[in-house]
Amino acid sequence: MASLIGRTLSHYRITELLGEGGMGEVYRAEDSSLGREVALKVLPAEVAGDADRLARFQREARAVAALNHPNIVTIHSVEEAEGVHFLTMELVAGKTLDQRIPAGGMPLGEFFAIALPLVEALAAAHARGVVHRDVKAANVMVTGDGRTKILDFGLARMGELDADPSAATQTATQLGAVLGTPAYMAPEQARGLPATALSDVFSTGVLLYEMLTGERPFRRIDGPSTVHAIVHDTPRPLATRRPDVPHDLARIVARCLEKDPAARYASAEELRAALAASRSRHVRSPLDLRSLLARWQVVVPAVAVLAGLAALAVWGGLRSARSERVRTETVPRIEALLEQGRYFEAFTLGREAQRRLPDDPTVRKLIERSSWAAEIETTPAGAEVAFRAYDEPGGPWHSLGRTPIDGARIPAAYVVFRLTREGHEPMLLAGGDPSFAVALVPAGTAPEGMVRVPAGVESSGAAEPVELGAFWIDRYEVTHRDYAAFVAAGGYSDPRYWQEPVVYGDHTLEWEEAMTRFVDATGRPGPAGWELGGYPEGEGDLPVRGVSWFEAAAYARWAGKDLPTVYHWRRAAGMDIFADILGLSNFGGDGPAAPGTYHGVGPWGTYDMAGNVKEWCRNAAGALRYSLGGGWDEAPYLFSDVDARPPLERRANQGFRCVRYDQPPNEELMAPVEGLRYDFAQVEPVDDELYAFFAGLYAYDPSPLDARVELTDDASPHWRRETVSFEPAYEGPRMVAHLFLPANATPPYQAVIYRPSSAANQLPRVEDYVNLPDYVPRSGRALVVPAYWGTFERGVEARSFSASAMRERVTRQVRDLRRTIDYLETRPDIDSGKLAYAGVSAGGEYGPVYLALEDRLQAAVLVVAGFHDAHMLREPPEVNPWNFAPRVSVPTLMINGENDFTLPYETAQKPMFDLLGTDPEHKRLVVIAGGHVTTDRHALIRHALAWFDRYLGPVQPAPTGR
């Protein structure tokens, strides 16, 4: 609406706009009748005619006017003038909390001085049946004299005015939005359910967390992601963000933030009492010193006697009360954390409980359940050892004492150890092994920028385990600045550094001819991404990339080092912390980061071995050279997978790091590692009788879906996103699916059900999966992404590879796909007769299982699919894709990379294609550029859409767009 500044409504002259939001604009105005300044809240003219909005605006006035509390803004009147509806309120001068909260959080005294009046005001409102529904920092004002005022009950409602909860839900649905501010709303509000006083308690918990840390507990990159986090994620414990916050206060805030309303404080009054008790324990009240001095001669003798008796009584009472709280509150919380597999938090809370109840057997057993006994030795002894949570890089360090350590307890979780001893290099170790022995490195003897990896056993791929001696490896990847020193030293003009023959096709190049291939974009010696012999401005600290294997080997030789063998690289990278390291590494990013920016530390103190840039290794694989670790633009599972690339290739995500050996590796370690791929052309699928038994394992009985829409998002111009949930086809948490409904087509939509790669096993949200096929909704078809069991929101902490665990995983995921189709059949905006399947990597590899068991699909596209010997050979036959492939009849397109080292064409891709039971006229295998991750996205899109067009038919475009 047009600005009202300068206008006069009735006897109010409007002078300044103070703020605006969904429920109206707020102005400063002069009341000429009473000679005072007031705040005018005005309903926008364009929505004043909406009966629901107008009624809610008027309800705000009645709700706030019914309250009389010094910490709630006072309302003067409700008026209308010249067609403008407005109310007049007390003008509060000061700063809102979002302007006052410092970056690191408030001091405790200031925190309590604001928080207690705030909660007291909410308690008073709740006692009158008023729910605020929009508690947030911007709605709390602190005046110049320190008074706290709650502003804007614009979303409040009187309990007696909305007796029918369904009416509130219906209204919210009709408006197309959930009322409230996403960052602060309670989970039930995010789901479109009516807000209650307990919703205000949750929002207050968000605000208290923000006041103490300077950060919101569920802050994400955008509104939908924030709402998703509120519904599904647990915020980082306060202790990890601000260790000085008292434990009881941290528990108060955590209880406010419980997802289940019944687990929160039963009322704002109960929360107020808890905060008041915490303040009394941790913030001292000022004393009237002059009064005490005037009476000290009379008071002191009596106090001396009484204080001693009272102190004993109070101490005993406090100890008893604290002990009871440990048993009734802390112990159940520890048990719940153990059930969730959150052992580090359970251990930390158990240690806190043990300080209160040192001899309690229940607490002792809980600590034992959440921890391991550590046995740590160092040479020499006397090193200080501390540990922290692996996934909390900024978390507190916990001391274990000095080595040798025997029996001290550490959490049964992945941790980072820090070892320090005077006269020796500090050492970081990471992993889940509580017992180890290491030799400390004397100060000044370590090669610059390198860490020590002790001797041990390592294997790679299908090769036999090998014994490795101790060696050094670069802590970080080689940077542009490092590499520039090699170029400046004449590295490209000295044949001594270029000892391996450069083979191009069938021709071995002369050294001078080979060097003409190792030039930058301007023809000068240097990596592919450089210009005029130098790296891009501002990128000196980024990892060098765009280098061939030959250039990496030459640099290593110039630096007096070598490229690591695959065995040494994997020993240093540590496959045992695979799942935890991925979340702290640069996968799915926009580009490489400066080494050490990400906190994924390896078992011996290296960084960025997962993600950032791929790293060349010494060993050959036929005409290829190994390239390990994955890059920023690749899927996280490539950290543990093996890959090999043409050695002349100079990709933008290809870099390296170096090693230095105590003793040069023997010929066996330097020899080619072929991978020993299993040839799946020789597999024999089971007969029909046994297959029928296998298929029966995936069956389920029809049952009510109880479906509901959890979230809608219209932020994209290309689609509307809906997150839905429904009951699964087995006992367990509700099934979740994400629908991306096209903006450029007319319903009912054709739909493509997507099965992502195994990267989804490590990602908590679908937003984190960077390779969603957005071309599907942009082509006019609905993209449906179920959160299959063990993926995204339905991730599973403990991942076992036993036969029973594999059987459970695959059978549940197939049922998830079928149950999703059950749901799609209930939606009138989906054409259930035109459904297709699309899977990539794991989704392609297991595609035959889905396709054989679900006959409601009309087409399928399997991207980088084939039989994977790294895990399929260990699986039980009832989940092996080759037993299902002959039973597939749906038209199927396979799109594979021509240089896929993970799924080679002859031994993995073609055997799957040949086994597919689909009529030869309706199946096709297309090989395009790339490896296990295609480098020709346009070709992939072109072939996939052509296949959908052929078997689903053209889409019906929207007449005028959404």
Side-chain angles (χ1 to χ4, degrees):
M1 66 180 293
S3 173
L4 297 176
I5 297 175
R7 288 183 57 181
T8 298
L9 298 176
S10 183
H11 50 87
Y12 303 102
R13 188 172 71 85
I14 298 174
T15 59
E16 181 185 353
L17 177 65
L18 298 177
E20 55 187 321
M23 282 303 297
E25 298 172 334
V26 181
Y27 291 91
R28 181 193 299 268
E30 296 176 353
D31 181 352
S32 60
S33 159
L34 298 176
R36 64 181 179 182
E37 284 194 316
V38 296
L40 260 65
K41 182 163 187 178
V42 180
L43 188 67
E46 59 266 26
V47 294
D50 186 315
D52 288 334
R53 298 285 301 267
L54 181 59
R56 193 161 67 250
F57 180 77
Q58 293 170 336
R59 186 159 66 244
E60 170 191 6
R62 294 196 296 271
V64 182
L67 304 175
N68 182 19
H69 194 279
N71 301 113
I72 297 177
V73 67
T74 300
I75 186 168
H76 299 313
S77 63
V78 181
E79 304 186 32
E80 184 270 335
E82 301 178 23
V84 178
H85 295 266
F86 62 94
L87 58 84
T88 64
M89 301 181 294
E90 167 191 11
L91 181 64
V92 182
K95 290 185 177 181
T96 56
L97 270 186
D98 58 351
Q99 298 170 317
R100 284 181 61 100
I101 299 174
M106 292 179 164
L108 286 184
E110 183 182 6
F111 166 83
F112 282 115
I114 295 172
L116 269 170
L118 162 67
V119 178
E120 288 171 0
L122 282 176
H126 293 171
R128 296 294 301 271
V130 180
V131 178
H132 193 286
R133 296 204 289 183
D134 198 22
V135 177
K136 60 182 178 181
N139 279 341
V140 179
M141 181 78 77
V142 181
T143 66
D145 58 0
R147 290 178 296 126
T148 301
K149 289 275 190 177
I150 299 183
L151 311 175
D152 197 356
F153 272 74
L155 298 179
R157 64 176 176 86
M158 294 290 284
E160 65 269 24
L161 294 178
D162 284 322
D164 181 7
S166 65
T169 304
Q170 183 180 8
T171 300
T173 302
Q174 290 170 343
L175 290 172
V178 178
L179 300 179
T181 302
Y184 296 87
M185 65 172 54
E188 58 271 21
Q189 286 177 279
R191 292 190 171 103
L193 300 176
T196 68
L198 297 182
S199 306
D200 278 356
V201 170
F202 184 94
S203 299
T204 303
V206 175
L207 181 53
L208 298 180
Y209 190 106
E210 183 180 7
M211 291 168 66
L212 288 168
T213 66
E215 300 179 20
R216 295 170 188 165
F218 302 101
R219 182 179 179 183
R220 298 294 187 270
I221 193 170
D222 54 28
S225 301
T226 298
V227 171
H228 181 276
I230 287 171
V231 174
H232 298 286
D233 295 352
T234 300
R236 283 178 55 188
L238 268 171
T240 66
R241 291 184 180 267
R242 186 174 165 183
D244 67 312
V245 172
H247 294 302
D248 65 322
L249 181 55
R251 289 196 299 271
I252 290 170
V253 177
R255 184 171 173 183
C256 292
L257 296 177
E258 291 285 353
K259 307 295 185 191
D260 181 1
R264 301 171 200 155
Y265 287 99
S267 66
E269 172 56 31
E270 186 177 325
L271 171 59
R272 183 208 63 78
L275 286 171
S278 181
R279 181 182 64 175
S280 68
R281 287 190 288 269
H282 305 295
V283 179
R284 295 180 178 178
S285 300
L287 298 175
D288 185 348
L289 185 59
R290 286 179 298 177
S291 174
L292 286 176
L293 288 175
R295 293 182 292 165
W296 73 273
Q297 289 179 323
V298 177
V299 173
V300 169
V303 169
V305 175
L306 294 176
L309 296 174
L312 288 174
V314 170
W315 179 79
L318 287 176
R319 182 178 181 184
S320 176
R322 290 172 178 171
S323 299
E324 184 60 25
R325 281 198 300 273
V326 168
R327 295 187 179 95
T328 59
E329 297 181 14
T330 307
V331 166
R333 177 62 176 159
I334 296 171
E335 292 173 337
L337 290 170
L338 288 172
E339 287 295 323
Q340 299 168 27
R342 294 159 62 181
Y343 293 100
F344 198 101
E345 294 171 64
F347 174 78
T348 304
L349 196 55
R351 277 295 176 84
E352 179 185 328
Q354 194 173 51
R355 284 193 290 269
R356 304 287 189 190
L357 297 175
D359 300 319
D360 188 273
T362 300
V363 173
R364 185 175 65 252
K365 288 180 180 178
L366 289 174
I367 291 177
E368 291 175 354
R369 285 177 56 194
S370 64
S371 64
W372 289 313
E375 295 182 9
I376 302 174
E377 296 181 2
T378 60
T379 305
E384 287 280 355
V385 181
F387 68 89
R388 65 161 172 83
Y390 184 87
D391 58 357
E392 294 285 350
W397 289 93
H398 305 268
S399 176
L400 270 181
R402 291 181 179 271
T403 57
I405 293 171
D406 185 5
R409 312 248 5 140
I410 63 170
Y414 290 121
V415 299
V416 177
F417 292 100
R418 182 182 64 194
L419 283 66
T420 55
R421 189 182 190 280
E422 186 176 356
H424 292 79
E425 299 286 348
M427 182 178 290
L428 283 184
L429 306 174
D433 190 348
S435 301
F436 56 86
V438 293
L440 302 178
V441 178
T445 63
E448 183 179 359
M450 305 190 86
V451 298
R452 182 75 166 171
V453 180
V457 176
E458 183 58 42
S459 63
S460 179
E464 292 295 322
V466 296
E467 292 279 351
L468 299 180
F471 63 98
W472 300 91
I473 188 167
D474 288 342
R475 185 185 303 275
Y476 303 117
E477 293 152 331
V478 174
T479 66
H480 282 299
R481 185 171 286 109
D482 297 331
Y483 199 84
F486 165 65
V487 177
Y492 279 79
S493 60
D494 192 334
R496 291 179 301 165
Y497 306 133
W498 306 77
Q499 297 183 3
E500 289 79 9
V502 179
V503 178
Y504 181 71
D506 297 329
H507 178 54
T508 298
L509 304 180
E510 296 293 333
W511 181 75
E512 291 81 2
E513 182 184 3
M515 299 310 296
T516 64
R517 298 181 176 275
F518 304 136
V519 294
D520 66 17
T522 59
R524 302 294 182 89
W530 287 20
E531 290 184 1
L532 299 173
Y535 51 79
E537 184 176 356
E539 294 192 7
D541 292 328
L542 296 184
V544 67
R545 57 198 188 278
V547 291
S548 67
W549 181 90
F550 297 99
E551 290 164 286
Y555 171 91
R557 190 166 289 111
W558 168 80
K561 303 178 182 180
D562 204 339
L563 293 181
T565 72
V566 292
Y567 309 99
H568 291 87
W569 192 96
R570 290 172 68 89
R571 167 94 171 132
M575 299 297 106
D576 62 320
I577 55 174
F578 169 67
D580 292 69
I581 202 171
L582 298 186
L584 300 175
S585 300
N586 186 13
F587 284 107
D590 297 326
T597 300
Y598 287 78
H599 298 285
V601 59
W604 310 108
T606 58
Y607 286 85
D608 298 309
M609 297 192 80
N612 219 29
V613 294
K614 299 170 73 74
E615 300 182 13
W616 286 118
C617 291
R618 168 62 60 181
N619 304 79
L624 309 176
R625 294 281 179 166
Y626 278 90
S627 173
L628 303 183
W632 80 83
D633 55 347
E634 295 183 323
Y637 61 79
L638 285 175
F639 168 55
S640 66
D641 218 335
V642 290
D643 191 16
R645 311 297 307 164
L648 279 170
E649 193 172 71
R650 308 172 86 207
R651 298 176 66 184
N653 68 353
Q654 184 67 62
F656 66 99
R657 76 178 70 217
C658 302
V659 295
R660 181 174 291 172
Y661 302 112
D662 287 359
Q663 297 292 331
N666 59 37
E667 292 184 3
E668 178 185 359
L669 297 178
M670 302 287 280
V673 180
E674 298 300 337
L676 305 178
R677 295 294 184 187
Y678 184 84
D679 186 356
F680 284 96
Q682 57 188 302
V683 298
E684 294 185 11
V686 297
D687 59 30
D688 290 344
E689 183 178 0
L690 189 53
Y691 172 76
F693 170 75
F694 290 167
L697 299 175
Y698 296 82
Y700 61 91
D701 296 326
S703 59
L705 286 162
D706 186 24
R708 57 176 179 252
V709 177
E710 303 284 2
L711 176 69
T712 60
D713 176 14
D714 290 307
S716 171
H718 303 297
W719 56 71
R720 162 175 287 185
R721 175 183 163 188
E722 291 186 9
T723 297
V724 301
S725 70
F726 42 88
E727 291 297 327
Y730 45 81
E731 290 293 328
R734 286 175 65 83
M735 178 68 193
V736 176
H738 304 278
L739 280 68
F740 300 82
L741 305 175
N744 60 353
T746 300
Y749 308 114
Q750 301 175 13
V752 177
I753 307 170
Y754 184 65
R755 173 58 169 93
S757 71
S758 60
N761 299 344
Q762 285 85 39
L763 300 175
R765 305 174 305 159
V766 71
E767 293 89 343
D768 298 324
Y769 187 85
V770 297
N771 294 317
L772 282 179
D774 60 345
Y775 60 85
V776 171
R778 296 185 69 171
S779 73
R781 297 178 174 90
L783 174 66
V784 182
V785 187
Y788 298 89
W789 186 81
T791 71
F792 298 137
E793 298 90 341
R794 304 173 73 235
V796 182
E797 286 295 325
R799 298 182 179 88
S800 169
F801 292 95
S802 67
S804 60
M806 294 177 182
R807 181 187 306 113
E808 180 183 38
R809 181 182 70 245
V810 178
T811 55
R812 287 193 174 199
Q813 290 178 348
V814 170
R815 291 178 184 177
D816 288 340
L817 175 124
R818 301 182 67 189
R819 190 66 164 166
T820 299
I821 295 178
D822 293 345
Y823 167 73
L824 295 177
E825 289 181 326
T826 69
R827 292 186 58 125
D829 59 344
I830 299 294
D831 187 345
S832 59
K834 293 185 177 181
L835 303 178
Y837 173 90
V840 62
S841 192
E845 294 163 19
Y846 287 88
V849 185
Y850 295 96
L851 301 180
L853 294 167
E854 179 50 70
D855 60 5
R856 290 173 288 181
L857 298 166
Q858 283 72 49
V861 174
L862 309 182
V863 181
V864 289
F867 296 138
H868 198 316
D869 58 7
H871 48 80
M872 288 182 182
L873 293 175
R874 304 194 307 267
E875 293 177 344
E878 57 268 31
V879 302
N880 284 149
W882 61 77
N883 286 327
F884 293 82
R887 280 82 186 182
V888 173
S889 59
V890 63
T892 301
L893 169 69
M894 288 177 57
I895 304 176
N896 283 77
E898 60 184 348
N899 294 314
D900 190 339
F901 190 75
T902 302
L903 299 174
Y905 176 82
E906 289 292 342
T907 59
Q909 299 174 24
K910 190 171 183 297
M912 173 180 281
F913 178 78
D914 290 343
L915 269 183
L916 291 175
T918 302
D919 188 298
E921 294 183 4
H922 301 292
K923 68 176 181 177
R924 185 182 178 200
L925 172 58
V926 175
V927 178
I928 61 178
H932 198 63
V933 176
T934 178
T935 57
D936 192 345
R937 184 171 183 268
H938 290 153
L940 186 155
I941 294 172
R942 184 171 64 253
H943 288 295
L945 292 184
W947 197 258
F948 293 143
D949 289 343
R950 176 179 176 183
Y951 289 99
L952 299 183
V955 299
Q956 182 65 37
T960 57
R962 187 165 62 198

